[in-house]
Structure formats: structure tokens, C-alpha cells
Amino acid sequence: MVLLKALSLLPNRSRLQRTLLDTTHILGSVCSVSQNAAFATQTTSAVHTKVENIRNIGISAHIDSGKTTLSERILFYTGRIAEMHEVRGKDSVGAKMDSMELERERGITIQSAATYTEWKNTSINIIDTPGHVDFTVEVERALRVLDGAVLVLCAVGGVQSQSYTVDRQMKRYNVPCLAFINKLDRQGSNPARVLNQLRTKLMHNAAFINLPIGLESNCKGIVDLIQQKAIYFEGQQGLVLREDEIPQEMRTEAIHRQEELIEHVANVDGVLGEMFLEEKKPSPDQLMAAVRRSCLQRKFTPVLVGTALKNKGIQPLLDAVVSYLPYPSEVQNHALDESAEKESRKVILNPARNDENPVVSLAFKLEAGRFGQLTYLRMYQGCLRKGDYIWNTRTGKKTKVSRLVRMHSDEMEDVTEAFAGDICALFGIECASGDTFVNQPNLHLSMESIFVPEPVISMSLKPAHPKDLDNFSKAINRFTREDPTFRVYYDADNKETIAQGMGELHLEIYAQRMGREYGCQCVMGKPKVSFRETLLQPVEFDYLHKKQSGGSGQYGRIIGILENLPPEDYTKVEFSDETSGTNVPKPFIPAIKKGYMQALEKGALSGHKLSGLKLRLQDGDHHIVDSNEISFIMATHGAIKQCYEYGAWGLIEPVMTVEVTAPVEYQGAVMGQINRRGGIITGQDSSEGYFSLYAEVPLNDMFGYATELRSATQGKGEFTMEYCRYALCKPAVQEQLIRQYQESLGQGTASSSKKKQRS
């Protein structure tokens, strides 16, 4: 490489350089073995790297901005892999960081993938994250444990919906970032417009530190504004960097953009601000130091440009990661001391890479590997060695570290120890995502857990074949442990399994994974709503159950009132014994109550449960020989049926409290959506360009809202909902449910039921 770079500066270089480049490509495959061997030695030596020479970074962006392609180029240029493959390449190999078969098939990242590499004597731990909003928890837990990030923006799309989400996550965890404007080779690319969006939409104090030399098909290289030089990426794979003077037609723009850079940094950095006021021009080293100081404090975002697919701009980005993003000891991490005798207090952790301090580490991701559960750990303090014992501070469980590995996508490389600042993985650890591990049993420290957004969509889920129930249970147990936003529960009311997630794609991916990885094909559908039947006004009953079949028969009579409870008690059922004397002997009262509860399980109107009722037992009759428990149970069933004949009944449904948050410009569209779904708006407020709308909407009308909201707000809107109360259904919904139930019973129309329904 050094020889090629030197030759590139010679005037008559073309023939000799071509020969050497051809030789380089021929030797590429031979060198791959030696590269792997070299990284095997780095595996053992990397843990001893000085803390100043470590970077933990994440690559985050909106879907299809080129994150995985960028990760592939970084691994190639740092010598981590011998060949580059495309996300949707013709060779069907796929990118290194997309290790799952489903990822390579769909061309999207589903799970975050971790790897490590080395650039200019600096160890870089990289986590490539998904861009789709449905997998936002992968970005969340990656940013929780990283020290810096690269925000990738498309030169055509600019700041898009998921860019907002990623930016909010970076602010939540106070993660400094660089911005990389990718895809300069695409038609319509406009990095200046993207920079303006970064300033106006995400409110970043940002400026170029690179400028592109040409756009679209004419993209040749970049201009380094700090060093004031042009860099060209030559050779078939952009391996040869040629430095030259800035092209004549770009010199004015380069000077203007450098002045703009100095001005933006001077506004937030005191040292450079004084030089700016004194009209002194900073040297390149002084300007780089000022950019680093302001970037670490999240007061300034350096913006770089390039095109990963065409192999341009990657090496300067790596230089910027080393120069401007923090190393572990520059980020202050703290744990909560939860000792029993005192209140929890914050304890600052020591990032020194030695074993003088006790181990404190955070399990931020779980994954089912070939050898059992794989637990990803971020080391915050101390040294963890193979064979050590560690304790889970949440459960107090003691575990031996039998195997310690570093991850390279889906490949594992064994290490003997891991120090503060490292990202490693363990096998055989029973824990949950967000648990803290220490190496002393009396050390009650816990890291702040990961923010987990609430699921926004629910669907029914069941195996296509009953014989697959065992595999279905295994898959559910595994996926719910790995992904805290994927939740599954059994709805006893409707006798179905409900899966909750962040979107339709999220649930669809898990259903496909069950089929691929467990051989369990699943059927998904709209979940049933827990409707209830209730009485609209009190009704009296007097029912006699009498049965003679030779010998001892059955005899039981009950008299009383079935009342409706007020709306706030629609979910309750009550029983009141108001009898006196011995007409209904006290030993039979529990049987009457049991019969009452059994009769509530299925109503005659629509087949749903009954609720919001109170049975007042006032009198009755019994037979000295024929009365028994079953007699009074059957008498109670008959009494409820009698109430259906003479009472006025209706259906009630769950109403949800919904909170929608979106940019102010979409306020009208969101209010229109809520009104169309039969919602009642209860309030709204706004701040910092976003508004929050509060409403009460029937649950039956909320299905599919997540997709509709994202479509109407370009993916920038979010909503949460929780149960509020039960309320009477609309007449149209009630008639439809009654008709469907009657048809399911084979009774044709629901005319007979409509006669029973009296208002």
C-alpha cells in the first residue's frame, strides 16, 4: 500500500501502477489466510490495547441508507475481510454483517451485528444496526452501550423518518456522533440540501469537513477542508489514495466551506472562539482539536461525504472516527448502588483497563447460538477472565465464565480476558436483557437499564398444524427472551395466542423465522376484541328447575333481581344473598353462586362473556328429598336464560386511551384519522415542533392504525395506547356481531335476537 501510494505521486505512473494493482488483486486471495492469522493475533493482543486506542461505535440510519454496505467497506479497508460482497449482490453471498438467511434474502438488516477491527493502531468495535422502525429496539440497546456513532444519511433522501428516531435515541444516551452523507453516486444527490436538513430538522450544529469532487456518475473524490487538499480513490476497489491540490473550480467553495466550519465550531468552543474574535486563522491541528472537543460534548456534528458502493470516502471516515469520537474513558459511566441499608445512589465507574477494580458489566443483547444462549456484554469496569465467577445483581445467581468470545458478525473468536471498554460475549448465562453482572457477591451495583418502547400492534398467532405446538412454544420462549419488544400472551377470554410487536413487518419476520428455524409454519390474523354482554336495565326472575326421572329427582327454585352495574363497574360481576328463612337452605347458596358464574361464561346475544351484572337472590324453594347442588346450579342457568327473554341487553367494548406524537405539520391529518375511527379527542399540547394528541378510541377501531399513522406522517408519528374503560358499542357494530354469531350457529339471520334486544 505504501509503495502504491508513493508511485501514485510519480508523473509516469500509469503502466507500472496498473501492473502492481493487478499483482495486488492476484495476491488478494492468498493474503486472506494471512489476514485471518493476523487478526487471530490481534484477538489476543487487542484486550491489552491502551484505552486511548479503543473506539466503540454504532452505524445507524434510516432504512436503505447504506449502513451495511458501509460496514462491509470498513471491514475490507481495515483488512478484516479479504473480499467485499453486496447486500443484494449477484454472487448471492451477501454482506458479512447480514449473517441471517432472511436478512440476505430480503436485503435488510433485522438483527444488530457486532464486530471489531483495527485502523491505524486503534481497535474499533462496530455494531451495525437495523434501519427499519420495527426493529428500533436493536438500535436502542446498541446505542446504550456505545461511546460514539456514525449517523448515515442518504444524499438523495436526506433526513428521513427513522433519522428522527435514531437522533432521539442518541440524545437519550448522550452519544456523540459523526454524520456521513452516503450515496453521492445516485441520481439527484444533493449533500448541501442534506446538511441544511440536518440543521433545520434535527437541530444539529453541523458543517462539512469534507466536500465531494463531482456528484452522481461524475463523483471522483473528496476535498479535505481541514487540511485543504483533494483526495482521489484509485484502483478497482479504491485502495489507492492519491493526494493532490484542490481543483481550480472548487477552491473558492473550499475556502468558503472552511470558513463556515470554523465559524460553526467557534460558536461552541471557547478556545477557537477566542481565536476567531482575534481574527487568527487556526492551524489544521488546532481546528481538529476544536472539532473533537465540541463533538465530544454533542455541541457540533462533523459532516463527511462519500459513496460506499463506489468505494469513495471510507478511509477519511475511519480517520474521523479515530480523531473525533471518544474513547471509553472520555465517557463518564455510572452505576446505581442499591445496597439494602441505604438509598440508591450513583457511583462513577473507573474505565481503567486493569483488574484493580471489581467487574461491572451490562448484558445488552441475548441471542440463541449453536452452543446455547449467547449473552453480549459491555465491560464498564475491571477485568473479566475465562474461569471467573460472576453474579447477576438482579437475581443474585452465581455463574462461571466457561467461555469468553469476541464476535465478528456470526463468527466467534475465543479470548482469555476482557477489560473495561470491551464488548464481548458469554455462553450459558441465564439472564434477561439489561441485567448487570459483577464479580463480587456483595457488590450491589446495577447499570441503568435499556429503554424499551411499548408494542404498537397485536395479531393472533397460532401454529398451522397442532403437531408443531412444542416447536411453537420453544420459538416463542426464545424470541421473547431475545427481543423485549416482542411479547406473547394467551388471551383466555378469546382462547387465542396474541403476539405484540413494533409493526406488521416485525411480527411477520418472527412468523417466518419460526417456519425456517423451527419448522413451525404459523397462521397470523387480526386478534379478537374482548366484547362483553351486559344488561341495560334491571329484570326480575322466578325460575323453577324440576326434573323427575324415577327415584331421586332434581328440584330447585330461585327468585330475585338481575341488575346492571354503573358504567365504571362494567368489568365487574357481583352476587348478593338477600334470602331469609329456610326456603333456600344456606348450604345451597354456594351452588347458586357457582351456577351464576358458569352462566356468565357465554351470553345468548353474541356468545361473549357477561359482565357488569349483579344478581340479588331474594327467595326460592327447595324439596326435602330432590333438592341438591346440581338442582340449584341448573336453576341459576335457567334464571339467566329467563332474563335474556324478558330483559334489555347490549354489547360493550374496551375503549383505549391513545396518545399520538408527531410533527406539528401533520396535526390536521392525525386529528382526521382519530375522528374517522370514532375517537373522542380529550386534549392536546405541543412543544419543540412536535404535538401530542390525547383521545379515547374503541379498541376494535385501532387495528391497522400503526401503519396508517406512519403513512400519514412519513414515518415520524408514534402512538401509545392503554386500556381505559368499557363502553356500549355502536348500534352498527352490535348488529354485525349478533348477525355473525347467529350465522355461526346456523340460524341464518339475527332477527330472533333483535327481538330480544329491547331498548
PDB file of all heavy atoms in Angstrom, residues 410-422:
ATOM      1  N   ASP A 410     -21.429 -13.373  12.716  1.00  0.00           N
ATOM      2  CA  ASP A 410     -21.880 -14.646  13.290  1.00  0.00           C
ATOM      3  C   ASP A 410     -20.721 -15.562  13.650  1.00  0.00           C
ATOM      4  O   ASP A 410     -20.941 -16.711  14.023  1.00  0.00           O
ATOM      5  CB  ASP A 410     -22.821 -15.350  12.320  1.00  0.00           C
ATOM      6  CG  ASP A 410     -22.153 -15.639  10.978  1.00  0.00           C
ATOM      7  OD1 ASP A 410     -21.168 -14.944  10.651  1.00  0.00           O
ATOM      8  OD2 ASP A 410     -22.610 -16.536  10.253  1.00  0.00           O
ATOM      9  N   GLU A 411     -19.491 -15.072  13.532  1.00  0.00           N
ATOM     10  CA  GLU A 411     -18.321 -15.882  13.885  1.00  0.00           C
ATOM     11  C   GLU A 411     -17.831 -15.502  15.283  1.00  0.00           C
ATOM     12  O   GLU A 411     -17.933 -14.348  15.691  1.00  0.00           O
ATOM     13  CB  GLU A 411     -17.201 -15.678  12.867  1.00  0.00           C
ATOM     14  CG  GLU A 411     -17.586 -16.099  11.455  1.00  0.00           C
ATOM     15  CD  GLU A 411     -16.522 -15.713  10.432  1.00  0.00           C
ATOM     16  OE1 GLU A 411     -15.439 -15.245  10.867  1.00  0.00           O
ATOM     17  OE2 GLU A 411     -16.766 -15.868   9.228  1.00  0.00           O
ATOM     18  N   MET A 412     -17.275 -16.486  15.987  1.00  0.00           N
ATOM     19  CA  MET A 412     -16.784 -16.251  17.344  1.00  0.00           C
ATOM     20  C   MET A 412     -15.290 -16.514  17.412  1.00  0.00           C
ATOM     21  O   MET A 412     -14.799 -17.455  16.791  1.00  0.00           O
ATOM     22  CB  MET A 412     -17.517 -17.164  18.335  1.00  0.00           C
ATOM     23  CG  MET A 412     -18.974 -16.836  18.503  1.00  0.00           C
ATOM     24  SD  MET A 412     -19.854 -18.119  19.410  1.00  0.00           S
ATOM     25  CE  MET A 412     -19.859 -19.428  18.212  1.00  0.00           C
ATOM     26  N   GLU A 413     -14.591 -15.675  18.148  1.00  0.00           N
ATOM     27  CA  GLU A 413     -13.160 -15.860  18.339  1.00  0.00           C
ATOM     28  C   GLU A 413     -12.877 -15.816  19.840  1.00  0.00           C
ATOM     29  O   GLU A 413     -13.183 -14.827  20.511  1.00  0.00           O
ATOM     30  CB  GLU A 413     -12.380 -14.783  17.583  1.00  0.00           C
ATOM     31  CG  GLU A 413     -12.578 -14.914  16.076  1.00  0.00           C
ATOM     32  CD  GLU A 413     -12.041 -13.725  15.293  1.00  0.00           C
ATOM     33  OE1 GLU A 413     -11.531 -12.787  15.938  1.00  0.00           O
ATOM     34  OE2 GLU A 413     -12.132 -13.739  14.063  1.00  0.00           O
ATOM     35  N   ASP A 414     -12.319 -16.892  20.362  1.00  0.00           N
ATOM     36  CA  ASP A 414     -12.111 -17.020  21.807  1.00  0.00           C
ATOM     37  C   ASP A 414     -11.050 -16.056  22.307  1.00  0.00           C
ATOM     38  O   ASP A 414     -10.028 -15.834  21.655  1.00  0.00           O
ATOM     39  CB  ASP A 414     -11.707 -18.455  22.139  1.00  0.00           C
ATOM     40  CG  ASP A 414     -12.881 -19.414  22.039  1.00  0.00           C
ATOM     41  OD1 ASP A 414     -13.598 -19.568  23.028  1.00  0.00           O
ATOM     42  OD2 ASP A 414     -13.073 -19.989  20.946  1.00  0.00           O
ATOM     43  N   VAL A 415     -11.300 -15.488  23.471  1.00  0.00           N
ATOM     44  CA  VAL A 415     -10.312 -14.665  24.175  1.00  0.00           C
ATOM     45  C   VAL A 415     -10.241 -15.156  25.618  1.00  0.00           C
ATOM     46  O   VAL A 415     -11.131 -15.857  26.102  1.00  0.00           O
ATOM     47  CB  VAL A 415     -10.683 -13.161  24.138  1.00  0.00           C
ATOM     48  CG1 VAL A 415     -10.605 -12.614  22.739  1.00  0.00           C
ATOM     49  CG2 VAL A 415     -12.081 -12.930  24.707  1.00  0.00           C
ATOM     50  N   THR A 416      -9.179 -14.797  26.295  1.00  0.00           N
ATOM     51  CA  THR A 416      -8.999 -15.246  27.673  1.00  0.00           C
ATOM     52  C   THR A 416      -9.426 -14.193  28.686  1.00  0.00           C
ATOM     53  O   THR A 416      -9.702 -14.519  29.832  1.00  0.00           O
ATOM     54  CB  THR A 416      -7.529 -15.609  27.925  1.00  0.00           C
ATOM     55  OG1 THR A 416      -6.703 -14.480  27.591  1.00  0.00           O
ATOM     56  CG2 THR A 416      -7.122 -16.802  27.052  1.00  0.00           C
ATOM     57  N   GLU A 417      -9.483 -12.927  28.252  1.00  0.00           N
ATOM     58  CA  GLU A 417      -9.856 -11.863  29.189  1.00  0.00           C
ATOM     59  C   GLU A 417     -10.447 -10.684  28.428  1.00  0.00           C
ATOM     60  O   GLU A 417     -10.193 -10.496  27.230  1.00  0.00           O
ATOM     61  CB  GLU A 417      -8.642 -11.420  30.012  1.00  0.00           C
ATOM     62  CG  GLU A 417      -7.455 -11.011  29.178  1.00  0.00           C
ATOM     63  CD  GLU A 417      -6.189 -10.798  29.998  1.00  0.00           C
ATOM     64  OE1 GLU A 417      -6.191 -11.091  31.208  1.00  0.00           O
ATOM     65  OE2 GLU A 417      -5.207 -10.334  29.412  1.00  0.00           O
ATOM     66  N   ALA A 418     -11.243  -9.902  29.122  1.00  0.00           N
ATOM     67  CA  ALA A 418     -11.842  -8.692  28.555  1.00  0.00           C
ATOM     68  C   ALA A 418     -11.766  -7.589  29.598  1.00  0.00           C
ATOM     69  O   ALA A 418     -12.051  -7.820  30.778  1.00  0.00           O
ATOM     70  CB  ALA A 418     -13.293  -8.946  28.151  1.00  0.00           C
ATOM     71  N   PHE A 419     -11.354  -6.384  29.157  1.00  0.00           N
ATOM     72  CA  PHE A 419     -11.168  -5.253  30.061  1.00  0.00           C
ATOM     73  C   PHE A 419     -12.269  -4.218  29.859  1.00  0.00           C
ATOM     74  O   PHE A 419     -13.072  -4.321  28.927  1.00  0.00           O
ATOM     75  CB  PHE A 419      -9.802  -4.604  29.816  1.00  0.00           C
ATOM     76  CG  PHE A 419      -8.633  -5.445  30.244  1.00  0.00           C
ATOM     77  CD1 PHE A 419      -8.054  -6.352  29.370  1.00  0.00           C
ATOM     78  CD2 PHE A 419      -8.116  -5.337  31.528  1.00  0.00           C
ATOM     79  CE1 PHE A 419      -6.978  -7.128  29.759  1.00  0.00           C
ATOM     80  CE2 PHE A 419      -7.041  -6.114  31.926  1.00  0.00           C
ATOM     81  CZ  PHE A 419      -6.464  -7.004  31.042  1.00  0.00           C
ATOM     82  N   ALA A 420     -12.276  -3.212  30.741  1.00  0.00           N
ATOM     83  CA  ALA A 420     -13.238  -2.118  30.630  1.00  0.00           C
ATOM     84  C   ALA A 420     -13.134  -1.480  29.251  1.00  0.00           C
ATOM     85  O   ALA A 420     -12.042  -1.212  28.756  1.00  0.00           O
ATOM     86  CB  ALA A 420     -12.970  -1.079  31.720  1.00  0.00           C
ATOM     87  N   GLY A 421     -14.293  -1.253  28.618  1.00  0.00           N
ATOM     88  CA  GLY A 421     -14.323  -0.684  27.278  1.00  0.00           C
ATOM     89  C   GLY A 421     -14.538  -1.710  26.193  1.00  0.00           C
ATOM     90  O   GLY A 421     -14.852  -1.357  25.054  1.00  0.00           O
ATOM     91  N   ASP A 422     -14.364  -2.998  26.515  1.00  0.00           N
ATOM     92  CA  ASP A 422     -14.517  -4.050  25.515  1.00  0.00           C
ATOM     93  C   ASP A 422     -15.970  -4.497  25.401  1.00  0.00           C
ATOM     94  O   ASP A 422     -16.761  -4.377  26.339  1.00  0.00           O
ATOM     95  CB  ASP A 422     -13.653  -5.267  25.866  1.00  0.00           C
ATOM     96  CG  ASP A 422     -12.169  -5.007  25.651  1.00  0.00           C
ATOM     97  OD1 ASP A 422     -11.853  -4.095  24.871  1.00  0.00           O
ATOM     98  OD2 ASP A 422     -11.337  -5.707  26.254  1.00  0.00           O
TER      99      ASP A 422
END
